[in-house]
């Protein structure tokens, strides 16, 4: 049996990007993490989701409009978690740099990683919270309900076999599940990201996943019938709100 790391008590939220497809990069526009979903900024929904998962501390990685986003969170967040802020000043590069910016604040602990622009239901987070990933590896929560994916062209596809990831990518043709953007990680993912960055000068989360895949340390966890939706575009935002209201 594979050795397992402890379940996570720390969350990491990647919130550094431009959010250009929702207009968050336009002058005076709301930055993407502050865009409301049924009246509540999406990043506050993400913080609430991490509380459901049992996290006691969350590291929020900021970049574009960092001070504005931090001020809004500090003004509105009323939860019980300790909030720590990390800065990714290279937010023009791929999202793996944001994960690496959190490294000093996770102190080698297992952590639950997600994005600031994902709506996640409580059932999904209750699945993620108690999970123990492989030692020095990571687990990606995946959705096997391929027919229910709102925007398949935008989705990151995954092929898994016997619970381990074999391949991942937006343009993958042979796949059997979809990346939900929620990971339960050890420092092994951060080490993999560091190695890719040193070699290439840039790194995405998918690059780190692929590196762990090659070492057999990247597993999947089925979310079952749980609901999730990223809100990259206005259409995705409308769909998320309809689902939350029970209209879709």
């Amino acid at each position: 049996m594979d050795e397992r790391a402890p379940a996570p008590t720390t969350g990491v939220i990647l919130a550094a990007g431009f959010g250009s497809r929702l207009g968050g990069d336009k002058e005076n526009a709301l930055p993407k993490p502050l865009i409301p979903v049924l009246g509540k900024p999406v990043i506050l929904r993400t913080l609430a989701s991490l509380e459901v998962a049992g996290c006691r501390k969350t590291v929020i990685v900021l970049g574009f409009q960092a001070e504005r986003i931090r001020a809004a969170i500090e003004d509105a967040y009323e939860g019980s978690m300790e909030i720590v802020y990390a800065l990714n000043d290279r937010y023009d590069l791929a999202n793996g740099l944001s994960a690496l910016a959190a490294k000093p604040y996770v102190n080698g602990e297992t952590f639950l990683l997600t994005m600031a622009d994902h709506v996640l239901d409580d059932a999904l987070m209750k699945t993620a919270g108690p999970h123990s990933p492989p030692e020095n590896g990571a687990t990606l929560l995946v959705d096997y309900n391929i027919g229910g994916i709102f925007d398949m062209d935008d989705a990151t596809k995954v092929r898994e076999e016997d619970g381990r990831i074999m391949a991942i990518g937006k343009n993958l043709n042979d796949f059997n599940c979809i990346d939900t953007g929620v990971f339960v990680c050890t420092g092994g993912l951060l080490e993999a990201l560091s190695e890719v960055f040193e070699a290439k000068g840039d790194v995405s989360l998918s690059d780190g996943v692929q590196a762990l895949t090659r070492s057999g340390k990247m597993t999947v966890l089925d979310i079952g019938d749980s609901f999730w939706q990223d809100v990259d575009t206005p259409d995705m935002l409308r769909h998320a709100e309809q689902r939350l209201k029970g209209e879709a």
Side-chain angles (χ1 to χ4, degrees):
M1 180 179 293
D2 292 342
E3 293 185 357
R4 314 296 291 190
T9 59
T10 296
V12 173
I13 302 175
L14 306 188
F18 291 105
S20 56
R21 288 194 289 169
L22 268 176
D25 59 341
K26 303 293 192 299
E27 187 176 0
N28 298 320
L30 267 181
K32 189 177 183 182
L34 302 184
I35 287 178
V37 178
L38 293 184
K40 184 173 184 177
V42 64
I43 196 165
L44 293 184
R45 290 184 173 274
T46 308
L47 286 166
S49 292
L50 289 170
E51 289 180 343
V52 169
C55 292
R56 298 193 290 270
K57 178 180 83 173
T58 287
V59 182
I60 303 176
V61 183
L62 300 175
F64 181 68
Q65 295 208 39
E67 292 304 318
R68 183 178 182 185
I69 297 169
R70 177 170 179 166
I73 294 168
E74 291 179 345
D75 182 61
Y77 178 66
E78 298 179 343
S80 59
M81 290 187 299
E82 175 190 0
I83 304 295
V84 177
Y85 297 93
L87 182 65
N88 171 19
D89 58 7
R90 294 304 313 274
Y91 52 83
D92 56 319
L93 298 180
N95 60 1
L97 269 293
S98 288
L100 285 174
K103 185 176 181 179
Y105 305 95
V106 298
N107 300 317
E109 304 167 19
T110 304
F111 60 97
L112 204 167
L113 173 68
T114 188
M115 317 297 144
D117 60 352
H118 281 45
V119 175
L120 308 163
D121 75 5
D122 288 357
L124 189 155
M125 300 311 288
K126 288 176 181 177
T127 297
H131 179 73
S132 297
E135 189 170 4
N136 299 317
T139 298
L140 171 62
L141 276 75
V142 297
D143 190 348
Y144 289 89
N145 181 22
I146 292 171
I149 301 301
F150 177 70
D151 186 343
M152 183 58 74
D153 288 340
D154 187 69
T156 299
K157 290 85 173 172
V158 179
R159 185 174 78 252
E160 68 84 14
E161 295 177 9
D162 299 324
R164 295 186 185 276
I165 292 179
M166 298 291 107
I168 183 170
K170 284 188 181 292
N171 298 317
L172 201 64
N173 292 318
D174 179 14
F175 61 94
N176 54 6
C177 52
I178 300 297
D179 173 355
T180 68
V182 180
F183 300 78
V184 185
C185 309
T186 70
L189 177 64
L190 299 177
E191 293 305 320
L193 290 169
S194 294
E195 290 175 6
V196 175
F197 178 67
E198 289 174 7
K200 295 172 51 179
D202 199 358
V203 61
S204 68
L205 276 177
S206 289
D207 290 331
V209 169
Q210 289 166 354
L212 287 183
T213 293
R214 290 191 289 271
S215 64
K217 291 287 189 178
M218 194 72 222
T219 62
V220 298
L221 183 62
D222 183 3
I223 67 166
D225 295 327
S226 300
F227 168 68
W228 67 282
Q229 178 63 54
D230 53 352
V231 288
D232 279 342
T233 66
D235 285 344
M236 290 178 178
L237 175 59
R238 283 190 290 272
H239 178 71
E241 291 184 325
Q242 289 171 348
R243 284 293 304 267
L244 290 171
K245 292 189 294 186
E247 294 177 1

